[in-house]
Amino acid sequence: MNSEYTASASRPDQACTPDAVRIDVLDLCAEIFQGPDLESFPALLGQELPDLARRAADCGSPLAEPLAFLIQVSPCMASSNDINASLADLESAYVSLFINARGGIQAPLYESCHTPNGGRLMGPPAEAMSERLVQAGLTLVDGLAEPPDHLSIELEYLAFLLTEALDEDNPALATLARDFALQVLPAWRRWADTLESVIPAEPDTTRASTDGSIGRTPEAFFRAAARLTLAALNPVSD
């Protein structure tokens, strides 16, 4: 899985533990919110997501349920035609929800935009995140133009801290990860609430048609991914 920064940390090798699953869910959500990509998304949704859901269920992770729901609303990736059509729909929804839309961006992917006292781009959360990356010895990849408080960067940073804490059995790093999650979670809750408000309510999935098409809209996919993101952040904060 591509990272928005480079680091020397090792990663758990597909370990079936709740902590390892949580780290991989953070990485999964980070990749989703980087935006649809023809090179990575077919494998991400067609293989990595189902494999991660199975691991979560096997180890009793609380993330098993939101992972299963994300699969339920994920676009079909069974053929090249499915992939091309699905990615086009996902990209259109991604731009409309997070990048540019008539009347303004609906749910921007920057922590600074969801603070109680401001909401301007490149606000104090971006400055704080830049300092955290420097202190951790992490570097944004060359050519990345995103502010450092982009959701994907923050999720990757948290995954990095948790990985280091597990690898080194380091309580101080575990506490740093928990404190970071506690600090950013309120902003991302506001972001998720905004996303819920701009996406039409989902239908009763128990009444879905036999082809499973009900609920498989690109907007529903991103809403489910946002819910999964919050679920992955919450256990870290407890």
Side-chain angles (χ1 to χ4, degrees):
M1 184 177 294
N2 293 331
S3 173
E4 288 292 348
Y5 52 73
T6 57
S8 60
S10 60
R11 291 294 313 279
D13 186 15
Q14 301 297 306
C16 190
T17 67
D19 286 338
V21 165
R22 185 175 301 133
I23 290 168
D24 286 340
V25 168
L26 290 166
D27 276 337
L28 175 82
C29 292
E31 190 159 1
I32 287 173
F33 287 110
Q34 288 171 22
D37 177 78
L38 181 60
E39 292 185 2
S40 64
F41 255 56
L44 183 75
L45 301 185
Q47 180 177 347
E48 293 179 34
L49 175 56
D51 287 350
L52 183 52
R54 282 191 291 270
R55 288 171 50 216
D58 288 346
C59 72
S61 167
L63 299 176
E65 184 174 345
L67 279 165
F69 184 73
L70 184 60
I71 291 174
Q72 182 180 346
V73 299
S74 292
C76 183
M77 294 282 173
S79 69
S80 59
N81 289 336
D82 290 333
I83 290 170
N84 291 331
S86 295
L87 284 176
D89 289 343
L90 284 173
E91 184 173 9
S92 177
Y94 182 85
V95 170
S96 177
L97 292 170
F98 308 120
I99 306 298
N100 187 28
R102 183 175 297 178
I105 305 174
Q106 300 185 74
L109 293 167
Y110 309 103
E111 185 191 347
S112 292
C113 295
H114 305 285
T115 56
N117 303 315
R120 64 181 178 86
L121 193 64
M122 290 298 293
E127 299 173 7
M129 193 63 211
S130 181
E131 292 178 4
R132 292 187 190 102
L133 294 176
V134 170
Q135 291 172 1
L138 303 175
T139 306
L140 297 177
V141 295
D142 292 340
L144 181 67
E146 295 289 1
D149 62 338
H150 188 284
L151 173 60
S152 293
I153 297 174
E154 293 198 356
L155 294 177
E156 289 274 12
Y157 171 74
L158 182 55
F160 165 79
L161 292 180
L162 291 170
T163 299
E164 291 282 274
L166 282 176
D167 287 351
E168 300 176 11
D169 192 20
N170 188 325
L173 280 176
T175 298
L176 182 62
R178 178 182 180 276
D179 290 347
F180 173 70
L182 281 170
Q183 184 170 349
V184 303
L185 186 55
W188 294 119
R189 280 180 174 148
R190 285 188 285 271
W191 164 77
D193 288 344
T194 299
L195 197 58
E196 294 277 356
S197 71
V198 300
I199 296 176
E202 60 208 12
D204 183 354
T205 55
T206 62
R207 300 177 182 177
S209 59
T210 55
D211 66 1
S213 60
I214 291 181
R216 285 182 180 267
T217 66
E219 292 82 7
F221 170 77
F222 287 117
R223 175 175 52 203
R227 292 173 180 174
L228 177 62
T229 298
L230 293 186
L233 284 169
N234 270 309
V236 177
S237 305
D238 291 339

